[in-house]
């Protein structure tokens, strides 16, 4: 069995094991849906952070960052603004609802009829959204590992279903925290490598290819800057409404108290502010190096940029005759402190030698 497949398989088994282990934490309805309202801020903050991005962040959004620079980051900064409003006002109010589920709060406020309408009308959108997220994950798995997209979607969906049904909110929030740690560690490592190899953040920004009259902030192919400004304004308004409505207040229902709810919102705000600067740095770096992803992935056509985040170092290395992948970067860069190396070739040699050592 290929190593990549084995690693993914172990990870899936670990998620299922989380659900099985946390089944003993669930003895009441409150335990199942909101962890008994006894979770600390760092757990609630992690799940709040994780619910506002998906595999699309590292496919479609990364491709947009590769093509147009900083513009796509406004979506995530708008999320951070929403979490800031959570921290300043909404999070403690949501925690004080004294309900087990969000739908219960809707029934108390608007009546049984509105509860039913709201529940059933939201299902199609939930199904479509989940499908889009799973499809984004399948694109990554297919592009990097060669996994079949349909199989990836089915297996991933089943694993998440088993974990959440057996372990309830405790399992879901515990897995969210674990995934947050993994994602931030790996993406921070890749961002650091990009910054060092690109000569610093300012050099990466200066080297980013922009059309005449365009900028790194607003992006290319923009005829009127006012349109971008209008879009940015409404995306902030949209994300504010998404992160501060009653439907998404469920995360704060799990907090131990109002203070923990506020701290959770602040943590999500900080992480979401840092996130786009970290996640998209490899895309900006590889765009500045002049790598044509459409040539590297002719079958992907206009969607070739969607592979930018996870293949940037691989493509850059292949152009220089080196053999390495992002997994080597992320693992060995952390373990061996290779930031002192000025040449990517030397860096790759150390990656390979470190991988071959026990």
């Amino acid at each position: 069995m290929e190593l990549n497949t084995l690693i993914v398989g172990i990870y899936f088994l670990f998620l299922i094991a989380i659900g099985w282990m946390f089944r003993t934490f669930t003895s009441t309805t409150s335990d199942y849906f909101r962890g008994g309202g006894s979770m600390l801020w760092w757990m609630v903050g992690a799940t709040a952070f994780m619910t506002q991005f998906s595999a699309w962040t590292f496919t479609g959004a990364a491709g947009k960052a590769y093509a147009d620079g900083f513009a796509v980051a406004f979506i995530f900064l708008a999320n951070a603004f929403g979490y800031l409003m959570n921290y300043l006002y909404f999070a403690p109010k949501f925690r004080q609802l004294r309900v087990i589920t969000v739908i219960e709060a809707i029934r108390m406020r608007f009546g049984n009829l509105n509860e039913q309408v709201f529940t059933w009308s939201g299902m199609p959108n939930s199904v479509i959204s989940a499908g889009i997220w799973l499809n984004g994950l399948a694109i990554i798995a297919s592009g990097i590992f060669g996994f079949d997209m349909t199989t990836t979607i089915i297996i991933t969906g089943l694993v998440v279903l088993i974990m959440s049904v057996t372990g309830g909110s405790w399992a879901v929030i515990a897995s969210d925290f674990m995934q947050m740690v993994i994602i931030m560690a790996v993406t921070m490592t890749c961002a650091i490598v990009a910054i060092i190899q690109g000569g610093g953040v300012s050099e990466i920004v200066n080297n980013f290819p922009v059309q005449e009259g365009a900028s790194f902030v607003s992006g290319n192919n923009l005829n009127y800057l006012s349109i971008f400004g209008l879009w940015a304004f409404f995306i902030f308004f949209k994300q504010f409404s998404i992160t501060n409505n009653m439907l998404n207040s469920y995360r704060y229902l799990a907090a131990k108290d109002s203070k923990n709810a506020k701290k959770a919102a602040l943590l999500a705000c900080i992480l979401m502010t840092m996130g786009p600067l970290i996640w998209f740095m490899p895309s900006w770096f590889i765009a500045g190096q002049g790598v044509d992803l459409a040539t590297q992935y002719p079958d992907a056509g206009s969607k070739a940029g969607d592979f930018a985040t996870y293949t940037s170092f691989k493509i850059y290395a292949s152009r220089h005759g080196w053999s390495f992948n992002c997994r080597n970067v992320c693992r060995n860069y952390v373990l061996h402190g290779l930031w002192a190396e000025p040449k990517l070739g030397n860096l790759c040699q150390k990656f390979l030698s470190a991988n071959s050592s026990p």
Side-chain angles (χ1 to χ4, degrees):
M1 180 183 295
E2 188 192 11
L3 179 60
N4 289 328
T5 305
L6 180 62
I7 292 173
V8 172
I10 293 174
Y11 180 68
F12 280 164
L13 291 175
F14 183 64
L15 290 180
I16 294 174
I18 287 178
W20 181 256
M21 288 186 295
F22 278 99
R23 79 190 190 284
T24 57
F25 284 62
T26 303
S27 57
T28 66
T29 304
S30 178
D31 291 337
Y32 187 82
F33 285 105
R34 67 185 192 110
S38 58
M39 295 187 181
L40 298 179
W41 61 272
W42 49 272
M43 296 182 69
V44 178
T47 195
F49 172 66
M50 292 296 296
T51 54
Q52 286 304 317
F53 71 95
S54 66
W56 175 83
T57 302
F58 307 107
T59 53
K64 191 65 176 175
Y66 166 80
D68 290 322
F70 191 79
V72 71
F74 277 87
I75 297 174
F76 302 93
L77 294 180
N79 286 334
F81 171 73
Y83 286 130
L84 178 62
M85 294 301 102
N86 277 177
Y87 168 72
L88 294 176
Y89 182 79
F90 289 98
K93 298 298 183 183
F94 287 145
R95 177 60 184 84
Q96 293 164 14
L97 285 174
R98 302 293 192 269
V99 295
I100 295 176
T101 67
V102 173
I103 300 301
E104 182 182 350
I106 293 173
R107 183 180 69 248
M108 294 171 61
R109 177 66 178 84
F110 299 106
N112 293 332
L113 178 60
N114 284 292
E115 174 200 16
Q116 293 300 314
V117 171
F118 187 84
T119 300
W120 292 103
S121 62
M123 282 190 177
N125 179 67
S126 298
V127 172
I128 293 173
S129 297
I132 292 173
W133 290 4
L134 285 172
N135 186 67
L137 173 63
I139 290 173
I140 291 179
S142 174
I144 298 176
F145 305 117
F147 295 162
D148 179 71
M149 291 183 61
T150 302
T151 303
T152 300
I153 291 172
I154 293 173
I155 293 177
T156 303
L158 287 174
V159 168
V160 173
L161 179 64
I162 293 171
M163 178 194 69
S164 58
V165 169
T166 56
S169 60
W170 278 105
V172 171
I173 292 178
S175 67
D176 280 346
F177 179 78
M178 181 190 69
Q179 292 174 61
M180 179 198 72
V181 172
I182 293 173
I183 287 175
M184 294 305 291
V186 172
T187 54
M188 283 184 66
T189 303
C190 291
I192 291 172
V193 174
I195 291 171
I196 293 172
Q197 298 305 320
V201 175
S202 60
E203 283 297 313
I204 291 176
V205 173
N206 292 334
N207 291 333
F208 189 85
V210 294
Q211 299 171 351
E212 184 177 355
S215 71
F216 174 76
V217 174
S218 60
N220 295 311
N221 300 314
L222 186 66
N223 294 326
Y224 300 98
L225 185 61
S226 58
I227 295 177
F228 173 78
L230 193 63
W231 170 83
F233 171 79
F234 280 106
I235 204 67
F236 266 73
F237 179 79
K238 170 182 174 291
Q239 298 308 108
F240 164 77
S241 64
I242 288 176
T243 53
N244 291 279
N245 59 45
M246 192 177 291
L247 177 63
N248 287 300
S249 68
Y250 70 89
R251 58 178 70 96
Y252 300 114
L253 298 180
K256 184 178 180 180
D257 50 36
S258 296
K259 289 184 178 179
N260 275 275
K262 285 194 67 172
K263 290 181 180 179
L266 182 60
L267 174 62
C269 176
I270 294 172
L271 290 174
M272 194 60 73
T273 302
M274 296 169 49
L277 304 177
I278 296 170
W279 302 330
F280 302 140
M281 193 63 67
S283 297
W284 298 332
F285 164 73
I286 204 63
Q289 299 302 311
V291 176
D292 186 358
L293 292 173
T295 301
Q296 297 289 336
Y297 293 93
D299 294 338
S302 61
K303 297 295 184 181
D306 293 359
F307 296 98
T309 296
Y310 287 94
T311 60
S312 57
F313 296 107
K314 180 179 179 181
I315 293 171
Y316 187 78
S318 66
R319 292 180 65 196
H320 294 77
W322 303 323
S323 175
F324 92 93
N325 53 51
C326 192
R327 184 186 65 200
N328 293 334
V329 172
C330 298
R331 174 187 171 197
N332 297 289
Y333 194 88
V334 172
L335 292 178
H336 298 277
L338 297 175
W339 51 85
E341 292 295 329
K343 298 292 185 180
L344 190 57
N346 294 337
L347 193 64
C348 296
Q349 291 173 4
K350 288 179 173 60
F351 291 156
L352 294 173
S353 62
N355 272 343
S356 61
S357 63

